[in-house]
Amino acid sequence: MIISGANHLYNNKQSVDELNVFPVPDGDTGTNMSLTSAAVALALKNNPTDSAAKAAELMKSAALRGARGNSGVILSQLFRGIAKSSAGLDELNAADFAKALKSGSEEAYKAVMKPTEGTILTVARESAEGAVQCRSNDITEVLRAAAERGNKALANTPKQLEELERAGVVDAGGQGWMYILEGALMYLETGRAAERADGDTQASQASPSAQGSVSTEDIKYKYCTEFLIEKENAGDTADSFRDAIAQKGDCMLVIDDGDIVKVHIHTNNPGYVLEEAVKLGELINLKIDNMKHQHRSILDASPKPVKVEVETKKRLKKPAAPDKDYGFVSVCTGKGIVKVLKDLGIDRIIEGGQTMNPSTEDILKAVDKVKAKTVFVFPNNKNIIMAANQAAELAEDKKVIVIPTKTLPQCVSAMMAFNANKDTDSNEKTMVRALGKVRTGQITYAVRDTEIEGVKIKKNDIISIIEGEISLVGHDINEVLDETVRELADEDSEYITVYTGREVKKAQLEAAEKLLSVYEEDEIEVVFRKGAQPLYYYIVGVE
C-alpha cells in the first residue's frame, strides 16, 4: 500500500513541483517528497516483514534519513507519527489505521515551529479526521474517507493562503500527501500497486501477503550503487549515460544538475555503470551496498548491514586527528564556491542546494567523515535547515550544531566570525550573530508567470531575491544587479562581494565590474569571485 502511494507520487512529482508559488528555478516540493517516499518504498521492498509495527518502524527510519527539503522532513514526521501509533501491533485494523494517520498529523505539527494553515499540515490533519470519523471496519472505506476529506481540504488551501489564491494553485505539499494517500487507496481497491512510470515495477510487485516469503534469491539486482559525477564539461548532458545504464538494473535515478550528476541504481554490473560514468567526468562519494548481504543480515536479526564505501583518489585525504575539537560541513554547488568555503576551513562539502536538496542521510554521512568532537553544519538554504536539524538529532558519536544559514554570504560571514580558541557555546552564539551582519541578494530568472505582492512577473523575467523576498524584476541581468546592490548597500556598508554564476559571460562580467566600481569611491571594497553556481547569475553579499 505504501509502495503504491510512493510510486503514485513519483509519477506526479513534476505536477507538484509546478505548484510552487515562488517562481524561481528551485521549486522542488514534488521532487523532495518523491525522493523521501521512494526511500521508504525501497526500505519496505528490501526488508520484508509480516509485522505492521516493524514495517512502520522501517518506514520511519527510512523517511527520517531520506528526508529532503522542508516538505520531505514534514513527510518524514508523518511517517514517524504513524510508526509511533503502530508500535507493538503486528496487525492494524481500520480503527488502528485511522489512529495512526492522526498520530502522523500530530507529529508533523510538532515539527514545525510556527505551523501555517493552508499547507500540507492542514491537509494531513483533515484527511486524518476523515479517517477517524469513518465508523466502518473496512480499512479501504477508512482510507477512502481520508482521501475525500483530504481533497476537500486541499481545494480549500487557496482560501487560507493569499499567495496560493493569487497564483491560482493549491498547496504543493498538500497535493503531494494526497498523491500518496490516493496511490495507497488504489492498492486497497484493486489489489494492484501503482507502478512507476519509469518502468521500475519491482517495487510495486511486493504485497503484504508475499513479503514474509521473500528470500535473497528474489533480489534480482544485488548492488545498490550511488555516486556523484563531477562533469569535465558542464555543457554535457547525462542523457547518453542514462540510456547506457538503463537496461543494467532498476530503481535508477540520474539527476543532472549542470556540473554535477547524482546517480543511484540497483545493478549486478556496478563496474559497467562506473565505466560509463567516467566518460562524463570524475566520480566522487562512491558507495556500493550488497543488498543480498543486507537482507541476510536482517533475516539473521543482525542490525548492521554490510557496506562498502569508496572514494576516488581526488577526494581521498589523510584522516583528521581524532581529537580535533571543531569540524565544519557545508552545502553548496559550484566549483568556485566550493573553493571559497574550503579556503575558509570547511572540512566536508555536500554537493547540493537549489533543486538538489541533500537528504538527512547525506548530511549525516558528511558529518561522520569529519573527525571532530563538535561539527558545525551550514545548510545555506532555508529548505535544507530542517533536514540538517534532523541530522543533528540522529547523530550519535559527536555533537552537531546547525548554524541556520540561508545563503552563501551568511556562511562566509559565520566562518569569518569563528574563533578556534573559544568554547562551543560562544562560537555558536558568535556565528549566529554574524548572520545578521550580512545582507544577501540572489539574481535569477522566473520560471512561470505569477503575481507576488502586487508585482506581476512574467516567465524568464530577471528577478532579484533580497533577504528571501522577491524585490526587483527586470529584463537585463546587470541592471537588476545594479539595483540590487543599491537596495542592499548603505552608508555603513564596508564590503560588497559578488559571486558570479556559471551562465555569466565574460562581457557581462566586465560590464558588471565597471558598474559597481563607483562604490569604491565611497570606500566600499567590491570583490567579484567566480562561483560557477547554476541557476543564479549573481549572489551578492553586503556587509
Side-chain angles (χ1 to χ4, degrees):
M1 182 178 74
I2 299 301
I3 289 170
S4 181
N7 288 347
H8 189 52
L9 172 57
Y10 178 89
N11 294 339
N12 291 279
K13 63 182 178 180
Q14 184 174 349
S15 66
V16 177
D17 282 342
E18 291 171 355
L19 292 175
N20 285 274
V21 175
F22 224 44
V24 296
D26 53 0
D28 48 8
T29 298
T31 299
N32 284 336
M33 292 185 73
S34 175
L35 289 171
T36 303
S37 62
V40 172
L42 189 62
L44 292 172
K45 186 185 75 170
N46 290 340
N47 301 282
T49 175
D50 57 4
S51 164
K54 290 179 181 177
E57 188 65 24
L58 281 168
M59 288 159 49
K60 180 193 79 171
S61 179
L64 286 174
R65 292 178 174 272
R68 296 172 187 269
N70 293 345
S71 56
V73 172
I74 292 173
L75 179 58
S76 76
Q77 296 305 304
L78 288 166
F79 284 120
R80 187 178 200 169
I82 291 171
K84 186 176 180 180
S85 180
S86 305
L89 299 175
D90 285 334
E91 295 182 356
L92 299 182
N93 60 29
D96 294 329
F97 181 64
K99 183 180 176 183
L101 288 178
K102 185 173 178 62
S103 176
S105 169
E106 290 169 351
E107 286 297 315
Y109 267 90
K110 291 177 186 176
V112 180
M113 188 174 296
K114 294 180 180 179
T116 301
E117 296 302 326
T119 65
I120 183 176
L121 296 176
T122 305
V123 176
R125 186 193 70 233
E126 288 296 306
S127 59
E129 283 298 320
V132 170
Q133 291 181 19
C134 179
R135 300 305 178 187
S136 174
N137 291 325
D138 184 343
I139 197 169
T140 304
E141 291 298 323
V142 169
L143 186 52
R144 187 177 293 120
E148 288 176 359
R149 182 151 172 174
N151 275 319
K152 288 180 181 178
L154 178 65
N156 193 51
T157 55
K159 297 178 182 178
Q160 295 174 289
L161 286 176
E162 187 179 345
E163 56 265 37
L164 295 177
E165 187 174 28
R166 281 199 303 266
V169 297
V170 296
D171 178 68
Q175 179 65 81
W177 181 237
M178 290 314 304
Y179 278 133
I180 291 176
L181 294 186
E182 289 169 350
L185 183 59
M186 285 180 195
Y187 176 75
L188 292 182
E189 290 179 332
T190 67
R192 183 174 180 80
E195 296 182 356
R196 277 175 47 152
D198 62 1
D200 174 24
T201 59
Q202 191 163 335
S204 63
Q205 290 169 355
S207 68
S209 60
Q211 287 177 352
S213 60
V214 174
S215 69
T216 56
E217 283 67 34
D218 295 310
I219 299 176
K220 184 177 180 181
Y221 299 105
K222 64 182 180 179
Y223 295 110
C224 177
T225 306
E226 295 178 281
F227 54 93
L228 299 177
I229 306 173
E230 190 171 77
K231 290 183 185 176
E232 289 181 0
N233 300 303
D236 292 344
T237 71
D239 293 347
S240 59
F241 167 70
R242 184 186 289 108
D243 293 341
I245 69 170
Q247 303 305 316
K248 294 295 183 179
D250 67 1
C251 296
M252 185 182 76
L253 184 67
V254 178
I255 301 176
D256 190 341
D257 191 47
D259 55 351
I260 291 290
V261 180
K262 186 161 187 174
V263 182
H264 173 279
I265 187 173
H266 294 172
T267 181
N268 289 328
N269 299 284
Y272 174 84
V273 173
L274 300 182
E275 286 176 4
E276 291 298 312
V278 295
K279 295 177 183 178
L280 196 57
E282 291 197 36
L283 309 187
I284 56 178
N285 297 350
L286 174 64
K287 180 171 72 67
I288 302 174
D289 294 344
N290 186 321
M291 293 186 294
K292 284 196 174 185
H293 276 290
Q294 290 180 333
H295 185 58
R296 280 195 290 267
S297 297
I298 292 163
L299 294 179
D300 294 336
S302 170
K304 295 182 179 179
V306 177
K307 284 190 176 182
V308 178
E309 292 199 16
V310 184
E311 286 197 356
T312 58
K313 290 182 180 179
K314 180 182 178 183
R315 298 296 182 184
L316 289 176
K317 296 181 180 180
K318 292 182 180 179
D323 58 349
K324 179 178 176 181
D325 289 327
Y326 298 114
F328 306 92
V329 169
S330 179
V331 181
C332 75
T333 186
K335 293 181 180 179
I337 290 175
V338 169
K339 185 178 186 305
V340 168
L341 295 186
K342 285 190 172 181
D343 288 345
L344 285 171
I346 300 291
D347 296 288
R348 301 292 305 186
I349 298 291
I350 304 172
E351 297 281 354
Q354 314 297 348
T355 74
M356 194 170 70
N357 295 159
S359 67
T360 297
E361 180 73 5
D362 292 333
I363 298 169
L364 269 175
K365 285 180 179 178
V367 167
D368 286 342
K369 290 177 181 177
V370 178
K371 305 300 182 183
K373 298 173 185 176
T374 300
V375 177
F376 292 100
V377 177
F378 303 97
N380 300 338
N381 185 310
K382 67 178 183 180
N383 204 33
I384 301 174
I385 293 174
M386 287 183 74
N389 286 333
Q390 196 152 270
E393 292 177 9
L394 294 172
E396 296 177 350
D397 61 344
K398 62 190 67 175
K399 185 174 184 178
V400 178
I401 299 173
V402 178
I403 304 299
T405 51
K406 297 179 180 178
T407 65
L408 168 69
Q410 285 187 336
C411 177
V412 172
S413 182
M415 282 300 295
M416 294 291 287
F418 173 77
N419 187 335
N421 295 319
K422 290 185 177 181
D423 60 37
T424 302
D425 290 341
S426 296
N427 268 311
E428 181 181 4
K429 291 176 182 176
T430 300
M431 286 192 283
V432 170
R433 280 199 301 269
L435 307 187
K437 296 180 180 179
V438 59
R439 299 188 70 210
T440 303
Q442 300 176 94
I443 298 169
T444 184
Y445 60 93
V447 295
R448 66 178 66 86
D449 294 351
T450 189
E451 183 176 330
I452 295 180
E453 298 295 331
V455 178
K456 291 185 178 180
I457 300 171
K458 296 292 184 181
K459 183 178 179 180
N460 294 324
D461 278 352
I462 305 302
I463 55 178
S464 176
I465 305 164
I466 298 178
E467 298 293 274
E469 301 290 337
I470 294 180
S471 300
L472 301 167
V473 181
H475 302 287
D476 181 84
I477 296 170
N478 281 348
E479 286 181 4
V480 174
L481 170 65
D482 186 29
E483 292 178 27
T484 299
V485 175
R486 290 176 187 274
E487 186 79 18
L488 292 171
D490 57 30
E491 59 184 14
D492 296 322
S493 300
E494 297 179 359
Y495 304 99
I496 298 172
T497 306
V498 181
Y499 300 90
T500 60
R502 194 172 58 209
E503 303 302 321
V504 175
K505 308 300 181 185
K506 184 179 179 180
Q508 287 177 315
L509 176 58
E510 291 174 349
E513 289 174 337
K514 184 177 180 180
L515 202 60
L516 299 191
S517 63
V518 295
Y519 289 94
E520 294 178 349
E521 298 174 6
D522 297 326
E523 298 184 350
I524 299 176
E525 183 178 341
V526 180
V527 177
F528 280 79
R529 294 186 181 275
K530 185 178 179 180
Q533 69 272 8
L535 305 181
Y536 286 74
Y537 301 114
Y538 298 112
I539 298 174
V540 184
V542 177
E543 296 182 73

